[in-house]
Amino acid sequence: MTTRIEHDTMGEIAVPAEHHWGAQTQRSLEHFRIGREQMPQKIITAFAYLKEACALANAGFGKLTTEQAEAVSSVCAEIRAGKWDAEFPLAVWQTGSGTQTNMNVNEVIAHLAAEKGVALHPNDHVNASQSSNDTFPSALHIAAVMGVTNYVLPAAARLSEALAQLEKENEGIIKIGRTHLQDATPLRFSQEISGWRELVEAPCRMLRASLEELSRLAIGGTAVGTGLNAPVGFDRAVCRKLTELTNVSFRPDENKFHALTSKDALVFAHGALKALAANLMKIANDIRWYASGPRCGMGEIHIPENEPGSSIMPGKVNPTQCEAVTMVAVQVLGNDAAIGFAASQGNFQLNVFLPVAAYNFLQSARLLGDCMDSFRVNCLEGLTADREKMEANLHNSLMLVTCLTPEIGYEQAAAAAKKALHDGTTLKEAVLSLGLLTAERFDEAVRPEKMV
């Protein structure tokens, strides 16, 4: 491997000649050979927005020349386009402030700018008016906001639309309800699907509410929240530029001492992701129970048969899309615990669990977006009701007796249900045997369509 010599305040170090990072990035690579989890690309993209906004703001305050700011902008646009993805190899398991990733970005921008003929120092120019302590928390919030707005919410909207279509297709079907895994009173299948739809839409309202806090940025706080070495108004100028670049509204956190040490906004937002994951788990479990069978299960719905389900049992098909959703939900619930623990560790003026919080939040957003699209395309859009099975289960249920309570009272209705179960007869036969109603009156009273 061909190398070149780079230096920092620690001295000289050999760096791969084909790459554009510098000494601090190389030291991180050599000192943190931990796991295979790399800093998420979404964080690098967020940094590319942030560094451009900072450069433009610095130019406005006279801390960078127009030429220097334009060089930073040009390189940042290339980074966001994915041209330099290989230049950001650092592990999640590094310094808890994310300093090494901040410097990785600074060094790459400086080297690429030099190739364009503009000399920049990673600290003096690219990092001007900044500290890793305010840039990484800001990049984390930027990435989180964009992950939610550009990925999770659109996928959830598509899933909700698919469920709304299922509602329309199944409006006329009445089926037996179930509570405590036991038979309950009837409902329309479309009503049940409407519940699934709201299980998607409600957490999305929570997510949108969380964006109010996530859009507050730590930038301008520099090292400990005092704003040392940053011009007065730098935070507002950066947020204005960010808003222009991203078309997403960002603003400064007015209390930088809070912004640098607390990750409560991230906890709040991920709580909404956790709520969505929990609800998706419920939907997927409902569907795989209803699709169980094909002959010895509930079998009230049919889902697409996408692939063989067993290496030993020929013809077996499993609810694999539902299983994928539930595994994603488990991962998101675990990520939420990690983020909560990480956020609780804001010691003194800085939280130093930022990379692991970033990794878990962005993984949750990506997994939820992906699994909602996969579940929609490969399961929900091909889901159909088995009307005959639903009809048979409906009329075989003893809980239709509930509509007789006004006629014969709770205790006599319970006696009829228990007799039917014990004797293995229909509910109607039990009611007639007990002399509680005539056959005609039973038929008039027990009308499932009136019970929904």
Side-chain angles (χ1 to χ4, degrees), residues 254-292:
E254 295 302 323
N255 190 319
K256 302 299 191 295
F257 307 104
H258 161 264
L260 267 61
T261 195
S262 174
K263 290 277 83 56
D264 48 12
L266 201 72
V267 172
F268 180 48
H270 198 274
L273 292 179
K274 178 175 71 171
L276 177 58
N279 287 357
L280 291 173
M281 172 81 86
K282 182 263 192 292
I283 296 170
N285 277 336
D286 281 357
I287 288 174
R288 64 174 170 176
W289 273 111
Y290 285 143
S292 62

Side-chain angles (χ1 to χ4, degrees), residues 7 9 24 51 54-55 58 62-65 68 72 102-103 106-107 110 119-130 229:
H7 78 277
T9 58
Q24 293 195 48
K51 293 295 178 179
C54 287
N58 274 317
K63 298 196 71 172
L64 292 181
T65 67
Q68 289 171 328
V72 173
N102 180 45
M103 287 308 303
N106 290 338
E107 289 175 343
L120 294 176
H121 189 280
N123 297 84
D124 295 335
H125 299 120
V126 187
N127 203 61
S129 308
Q130 305 154 61
N229 292 350

Side-chain angles (χ1 to χ4, degrees), residues 242-386:
L242 268 173
T243 299
E244 292 172 9
L245 290 169
T246 63
N247 292 317
V248 177
S249 178
F250 291 101
R251 62 189 183 284
D253 193 315
E254 295 302 323
N255 190 319
K256 302 299 191 295
F257 307 104
H258 161 264
L260 267 61
T261 195
S262 174
K263 290 277 83 56
D264 48 12
L266 201 72
V267 172
F268 180 48
H270 198 274
L273 292 179
K274 178 175 71 171
L276 177 58
N279 287 357
L280 291 173
M281 172 81 86
K282 182 263 192 292
I283 296 170
N285 277 336
D286 281 357
I287 288 174
R288 64 174 170 176
W289 273 111
Y290 285 143
S292 62
R295 292 190 173 179
C296 299
M298 294 177 70
E300 290 192 342
I301 64 174
H302 301 294
I303 56 178
E305 299 182 353
N306 296 322
E307 66 278 316
S310 173
S311 61
I312 189 172
M313 293 176 281
K316 194 172 193 299
V317 179
N318 295 328
T320 50
Q321 289 295 318
C322 296
E323 291 164 5
V325 170
T326 57
M327 286 192 288
V328 165
V330 166
Q331 184 65 55
V332 173
L333 295 178
N335 289 352
D336 192 72
I339 289 171
F341 283 122
S344 73
Q345 301 302 306
N347 302 126
F348 307 120
Q349 280 74 57
L350 186 67
N351 181 292
V352 291
F353 286 73
L354 298 177
V356 70
Y359 181 83
N360 281 277
F361 189 98
L362 295 173
Q363 184 192 55
S364 291
R366 178 59 186 264
L367 288 176
L368 286 170
D370 283 353
C371 87
M372 284 189 289
D373 278 338
S374 180
F375 187 50
R376 170 179 57 84
V377 171
N378 299 307
C379 183
L380 287 183
E381 290 180 353
L383 186 152
T384 58
D386 188 322

